[in-house]
Short mmCIF file of all heavy atoms in Angstrom, two decimals:
data_model
loop_
_atom_site.label_atom_id
_atom_site.label_comp_id
_atom_site.label_asym_id
_atom_site.label_seq_id
_atom_site.Cartn_x
_atom_site.Cartn_y
_atom_site.Cartn_z
N PHE A 32 -38.34 92.65 -15.62
CA PHE A 32 -39.67 92.05 -15.85
C PHE A 32 -39.57 90.54 -16.11
O PHE A 32 -40.34 89.78 -15.59
CB PHE A 32 -40.32 92.75 -17.07
CG PHE A 32 -41.66 92.21 -17.45
CD1 PHE A 32 -42.75 92.45 -16.63
CD2 PHE A 32 -41.83 91.47 -18.60
CE1 PHE A 32 -44.03 91.92 -16.98
CE2 PHE A 32 -43.06 90.97 -18.91
CZ PHE A 32 -44.18 91.23 -18.10
N SER A 33 -38.58 90.16 -16.90
CA SER A 33 -38.46 88.75 -17.20
C SER A 33 -38.00 87.95 -15.98
O SER A 33 -38.43 86.82 -15.79
CB SER A 33 -37.50 88.53 -18.38
OG SER A 33 -36.23 89.00 -18.04
N TYR A 34 -37.10 88.58 -15.16
CA TYR A 34 -36.72 87.87 -13.93
C TYR A 34 -37.94 87.69 -13.02
O TYR A 34 -38.06 86.66 -12.33
CB TYR A 34 -35.64 88.68 -13.23
CG TYR A 34 -34.24 88.56 -13.77
CD1 TYR A 34 -33.97 87.80 -14.93
CD2 TYR A 34 -33.22 89.25 -13.26
CE1 TYR A 34 -32.73 87.71 -15.48
CE2 TYR A 34 -31.93 89.21 -13.81
CZ TYR A 34 -31.72 88.39 -14.89
OH TYR A 34 -30.44 88.33 -15.45
N SER A 35 -38.81 88.64 -12.94
CA SER A 35 -39.98 88.51 -12.12
C SER A 35 -40.93 87.41 -12.62
O SER A 35 -41.67 86.80 -11.88
CB SER A 35 -40.76 89.82 -12.01
OG SER A 35 -41.39 90.12 -13.28
N LYS A 36 -40.87 87.09 -13.93
CA LYS A 36 -41.64 86.02 -14.52
C LYS A 36 -40.97 84.67 -14.39
O LYS A 36 -41.47 83.68 -14.84
CB LYS A 36 -41.88 86.28 -16.00
CG LYS A 36 -42.75 87.52 -16.24
CD LYS A 36 -44.18 87.12 -16.08
CE LYS A 36 -45.07 88.24 -16.53
NZ LYS A 36 -46.45 87.95 -16.28
N GLY A 37 -39.72 84.67 -13.92
CA GLY A 37 -38.93 83.44 -13.76
C GLY A 37 -38.16 83.04 -15.03
O GLY A 37 -37.84 81.87 -15.18
N ILE A 38 -37.91 83.98 -15.90
CA ILE A 38 -37.19 83.69 -17.13
C ILE A 38 -35.81 84.26 -17.07
O ILE A 38 -35.65 85.48 -16.78
CB ILE A 38 -37.96 84.36 -18.39
CG1 ILE A 38 -39.35 83.74 -18.46
CG2 ILE A 38 -37.17 84.16 -19.62
CD1 ILE A 38 -40.20 84.45 -19.46
N PHE A 39 -34.79 83.43 -17.18
CA PHE A 39 -33.42 83.82 -16.99
C PHE A 39 -32.54 83.63 -18.18
O PHE A 39 -31.40 84.15 -18.26
CB PHE A 39 -32.82 83.05 -15.79
CG PHE A 39 -33.51 83.35 -14.52
CD1 PHE A 39 -34.46 82.42 -14.04
CD2 PHE A 39 -33.35 84.46 -13.83
CE1 PHE A 39 -35.13 82.67 -12.85
CE2 PHE A 39 -34.00 84.72 -12.65
CZ PHE A 39 -34.90 83.84 -12.16
N SER A 40 -32.98 82.96 -19.26
CA SER A 40 -32.22 82.71 -20.47
C SER A 40 -32.34 83.95 -21.41
O SER A 40 -33.45 84.51 -21.56
CB SER A 40 -32.77 81.50 -21.14
OG SER A 40 -32.27 81.36 -22.44
N SER A 41 -31.25 84.34 -22.00
CA SER A 41 -31.23 85.45 -22.95
C SER A 41 -32.16 85.17 -24.15
O SER A 41 -32.84 86.04 -24.61
CB SER A 41 -29.85 85.71 -23.49
OG SER A 41 -28.98 86.09 -22.41
N ARG A 42 -32.16 83.94 -24.62
CA ARG A 42 -33.06 83.63 -25.76
C ARG A 42 -34.49 83.70 -25.39
O ARG A 42 -35.35 84.15 -26.13
CB ARG A 42 -32.69 82.22 -26.31
CG ARG A 42 -31.35 82.22 -27.00
CD ARG A 42 -31.08 80.77 -27.49
NE ARG A 42 -29.65 80.73 -27.99
CZ ARG A 42 -29.30 80.79 -29.25
NH1 ARG A 42 -30.18 80.90 -30.19
NH2 ARG A 42 -28.03 80.69 -29.54
N GLN A 43 -34.86 83.22 -24.21
CA GLN A 43 -36.22 83.31 -23.75
C GLN A 43 -36.65 84.73 -23.43
O GLN A 43 -37.82 85.09 -23.70
CB GLN A 43 -36.45 82.39 -22.52
CG GLN A 43 -36.35 80.95 -22.80
CD GLN A 43 -36.50 80.06 -21.57
OE1 GLN A 43 -36.41 80.59 -20.46
NE2 GLN A 43 -36.69 78.80 -21.78
N ILE A 44 -35.71 85.56 -22.97
CA ILE A 44 -36.03 86.99 -22.71
C ILE A 44 -36.31 87.68 -24.05
O ILE A 44 -37.23 88.49 -24.14
CB ILE A 44 -34.84 87.66 -21.93
CG1 ILE A 44 -34.81 87.11 -20.53
CG2 ILE A 44 -35.06 89.16 -21.96
CD1 ILE A 44 -33.59 87.58 -19.73
N SER A 45 -35.54 87.34 -25.07
CA SER A 45 -35.74 87.91 -26.38
C SER A 45 -37.07 87.48 -26.93
O SER A 45 -37.76 88.27 -27.52
CB SER A 45 -34.60 87.47 -27.31
OG SER A 45 -34.85 87.95 -28.61
N GLU A 46 -37.42 86.24 -26.75
CA GLU A 46 -38.70 85.72 -27.22
C GLU A 46 -39.90 86.42 -26.47
O GLU A 46 -40.87 86.71 -27.03
CB GLU A 46 -38.73 84.24 -26.99
CG GLU A 46 -39.87 83.52 -27.57
CD GLU A 46 -39.80 82.03 -27.39
OE1 GLU A 46 -38.71 81.41 -27.66
OE2 GLU A 46 -40.82 81.41 -26.95
N LEU A 47 -39.68 86.60 -25.15
CA LEU A 47 -40.68 87.29 -24.36
C LEU A 47 -40.95 88.68 -24.87
O LEU A 47 -42.09 89.13 -24.88
CB LEU A 47 -40.24 87.32 -22.91
CG LEU A 47 -41.13 88.09 -21.95
CD1 LEU A 47 -42.38 87.24 -21.59
CD2 LEU A 47 -40.37 88.46 -20.66
N ALA A 48 -39.87 89.36 -25.22
CA ALA A 48 -40.00 90.76 -25.76
C ALA A 48 -40.87 90.83 -27.03
O ALA A 48 -41.53 91.84 -27.23
CB ALA A 48 -38.66 91.36 -25.99
N GLY A 49 -40.85 89.79 -27.79
CA GLY A 49 -41.63 89.77 -29.02
C GLY A 49 -43.07 89.31 -28.83
O GLY A 49 -43.93 89.66 -29.61
N GLU A 50 -43.32 88.52 -27.84
CA GLU A 50 -44.61 87.86 -27.69
C GLU A 50 -45.49 88.50 -26.61
O GLU A 50 -46.76 88.47 -26.71
CB GLU A 50 -44.47 86.41 -27.38
CG GLU A 50 -43.85 85.60 -28.48
CD GLU A 50 -43.66 84.18 -28.11
OE1 GLU A 50 -43.83 83.81 -26.92
OE2 GLU A 50 -43.21 83.36 -28.98
N ASN A 51 -44.94 89.06 -25.58
CA ASN A 51 -45.71 89.57 -24.45
C ASN A 51 -45.97 91.02 -24.63
O ASN A 51 -45.03 91.84 -24.82
CB ASN A 51 -44.87 89.31 -23.16
CG ASN A 51 -45.67 89.46 -21.95
OD1 ASN A 51 -46.56 90.29 -21.89
ND2 ASN A 51 -45.37 88.72 -20.91
N LEU A 52 -47.21 91.42 -24.48
CA LEU A 52 -47.59 92.80 -24.72
C LEU A 52 -46.99 93.78 -23.67
O LEU A 52 -46.49 94.83 -24.07
CB LEU A 52 -49.12 92.95 -24.72
CG LEU A 52 -49.71 94.30 -25.21
CD1 LEU A 52 -49.24 94.58 -26.63
CD2 LEU A 52 -51.21 94.26 -25.13
N PRO A 53 -46.96 93.51 -22.38
CA PRO A 53 -46.29 94.40 -21.46
C PRO A 53 -44.79 94.49 -21.71
O PRO A 53 -44.21 95.58 -21.60
CB PRO A 53 -46.55 93.77 -20.07
CG PRO A 53 -47.75 92.98 -20.26
CD PRO A 53 -47.76 92.48 -21.64
N ALA A 54 -44.14 93.48 -22.14
CA ALA A 54 -42.75 93.47 -22.46
C ALA A 54 -42.52 94.32 -23.71
O ALA A 54 -41.54 95.08 -23.79
CB ALA A 54 -42.20 92.10 -22.70
N ARG A 55 -43.46 94.24 -24.69
CA ARG A 55 -43.33 95.14 -25.87
C ARG A 55 -43.43 96.58 -25.45
O ARG A 55 -42.76 97.46 -26.01
CB ARG A 55 -44.47 94.80 -26.88
CG ARG A 55 -44.24 93.60 -27.66
CD ARG A 55 -45.46 93.41 -28.51
NE ARG A 55 -45.10 92.93 -29.81
CZ ARG A 55 -45.97 92.72 -30.80
NH1 ARG A 55 -47.27 93.00 -30.56
NH2 ARG A 55 -45.54 92.30 -31.96
N TRP A 56 -44.33 96.85 -24.54
CA TRP A 56 -44.47 98.26 -24.11
C TRP A 56 -43.17 98.74 -23.42
O TRP A 56 -42.77 99.92 -23.59
CB TRP A 56 -45.68 98.31 -23.11
CG TRP A 56 -45.89 99.67 -22.62
CD1 TRP A 56 -46.46 100.72 -23.26
CD2 TRP A 56 -45.57 100.14 -21.31
NE1 TRP A 56 -46.51 101.83 -22.48
CE2 TRP A 56 -45.99 101.51 -21.26
CE3 TRP A 56 -44.95 99.59 -20.18
CZ2 TRP A 56 -45.82 102.32 -20.13
CZ3 TRP A 56 -44.82 100.37 -19.05
CH2 TRP A 56 -45.25 101.75 -19.03
N LEU A 57 -42.55 97.87 -22.64
CA LEU A 57 -41.33 98.26 -21.96
C LEU A 57 -40.18 98.53 -22.92
O LEU A 57 -39.37 99.44 -22.68
CB LEU A 57 -40.94 97.17 -20.98
CG LEU A 57 -41.74 96.99 -19.71
CD1 LEU A 57 -41.29 95.74 -18.96
CD2 LEU A 57 -41.71 98.21 -18.84
N THR A 58 -40.10 97.81 -24.03
CA THR A 58 -39.06 98.00 -24.97
C THR A 58 -39.44 98.96 -26.12
O THR A 58 -38.67 99.16 -27.03
CB THR A 58 -38.62 96.68 -25.61
OG1 THR A 58 -39.72 96.05 -26.25
CG2 THR A 58 -38.07 95.75 -24.55
N LYS A 59 -40.59 99.55 -26.02
CA LYS A 59 -41.09 100.49 -27.02
C LYS A 59 -41.18 99.89 -28.40
O LYS A 59 -40.74 100.47 -29.40
CB LYS A 59 -40.26 101.76 -27.01
CG LYS A 59 -40.26 102.46 -25.64
CD LYS A 59 -39.34 103.65 -25.59
CE LYS A 59 -39.41 104.18 -24.19
NZ LYS A 59 -38.37 105.10 -23.88
N ASN A 60 -41.70 98.66 -28.49
CA ASN A 60 -41.90 97.91 -29.66
C ASN A 60 -40.60 97.63 -30.48
O ASN A 60 -40.59 97.40 -31.65
CB ASN A 60 -42.90 98.61 -30.61
CG ASN A 60 -44.32 98.42 -30.19
OD1 ASN A 60 -44.61 97.43 -29.54
ND2 ASN A 60 -45.12 99.30 -30.56
N LEU A 61 -39.45 97.60 -29.75
CA LEU A 61 -38.23 97.12 -30.31
C LEU A 61 -37.99 95.75 -29.77
O LEU A 61 -38.22 95.46 -28.58
CB LEU A 61 -37.05 98.07 -29.91
CG LEU A 61 -37.19 99.43 -30.49
CD1 LEU A 61 -36.06 100.30 -29.95
CD2 LEU A 61 -37.12 99.48 -31.99
N PHE A 62 -37.48 94.84 -30.59
CA PHE A 62 -37.27 93.48 -30.21
C PHE A 62 -35.77 93.18 -30.16
O PHE A 62 -35.20 92.84 -31.18
CB PHE A 62 -38.01 92.50 -31.16
CG PHE A 62 -39.46 92.88 -31.36
CD1 PHE A 62 -39.90 93.31 -32.58
CD2 PHE A 62 -40.35 92.83 -30.34
CE1 PHE A 62 -41.19 93.66 -32.76
CE2 PHE A 62 -41.67 93.16 -30.47
CZ PHE A 62 -42.11 93.59 -31.68
N PRO A 63 -35.15 93.27 -29.03
CA PRO A 63 -33.74 93.01 -28.98
C PRO A 63 -33.42 91.49 -29.21
O PRO A 63 -34.14 90.65 -28.80
CB PRO A 63 -33.32 93.40 -27.51
CG PRO A 63 -34.59 93.27 -26.76
CD PRO A 63 -35.68 93.60 -27.69
N SER A 64 -32.34 91.29 -29.88
CA SER A 64 -31.93 89.90 -30.12
C SER A 64 -31.35 89.30 -28.82
O SER A 64 -31.07 90.02 -27.86
CB SER A 64 -30.90 89.83 -31.20
OG SER A 64 -29.65 90.38 -30.80
N TYR A 65 -31.18 88.05 -28.78
CA TYR A 65 -30.63 87.38 -27.61
C TYR A 65 -29.21 87.81 -27.34
O TYR A 65 -28.76 87.89 -26.20
CB TYR A 65 -30.74 85.85 -27.68
CG TYR A 65 -29.80 85.21 -28.68
CD1 TYR A 65 -28.60 84.73 -28.23
CD2 TYR A 65 -30.15 85.07 -29.99
CE1 TYR A 65 -27.67 84.13 -29.15
CE2 TYR A 65 -29.30 84.49 -30.88
CZ TYR A 65 -28.06 84.00 -30.49
OH TYR A 65 -27.21 83.44 -31.38
N ARG A 66 -28.49 88.17 -28.36
CA ARG A 66 -27.10 88.65 -28.23
C ARG A 66 -27.07 90.00 -27.54
O ARG A 66 -26.25 90.28 -26.67
CB ARG A 66 -26.42 88.73 -29.59
CG ARG A 66 -26.14 87.36 -30.16
CD ARG A 66 -25.48 87.49 -31.50
NE ARG A 66 -25.18 86.21 -32.00
CZ ARG A 66 -24.70 85.97 -33.23
NH1 ARG A 66 -24.38 86.97 -34.01
NH2 ARG A 66 -24.50 84.73 -33.65
N THR A 67 -28.01 90.85 -27.93
CA THR A 67 -28.09 92.16 -27.29
C THR A 67 -28.43 92.04 -25.78
O THR A 67 -27.85 92.67 -24.95
CB THR A 67 -29.18 93.01 -27.99
OG1 THR A 67 -28.90 93.13 -29.34
CG2 THR A 67 -29.27 94.43 -27.38
N VAL A 68 -29.39 91.14 -25.51
CA VAL A 68 -29.73 90.94 -24.09
C VAL A 68 -28.58 90.35 -23.31
O VAL A 68 -28.27 90.79 -22.19
CB VAL A 68 -30.95 89.94 -24.05
CG1 VAL A 68 -31.21 89.56 -22.58
CG2 VAL A 68 -32.17 90.57 -24.68
#
């Protein structure tokens, strides 16, 4: 999902998971850290 949005950084992907509603749905309301990503 993040690659389709043009986001390739682990930190930005982690931020996306916390801020974007569709990304929250994909992760089932869990927010992985940038290290996990």
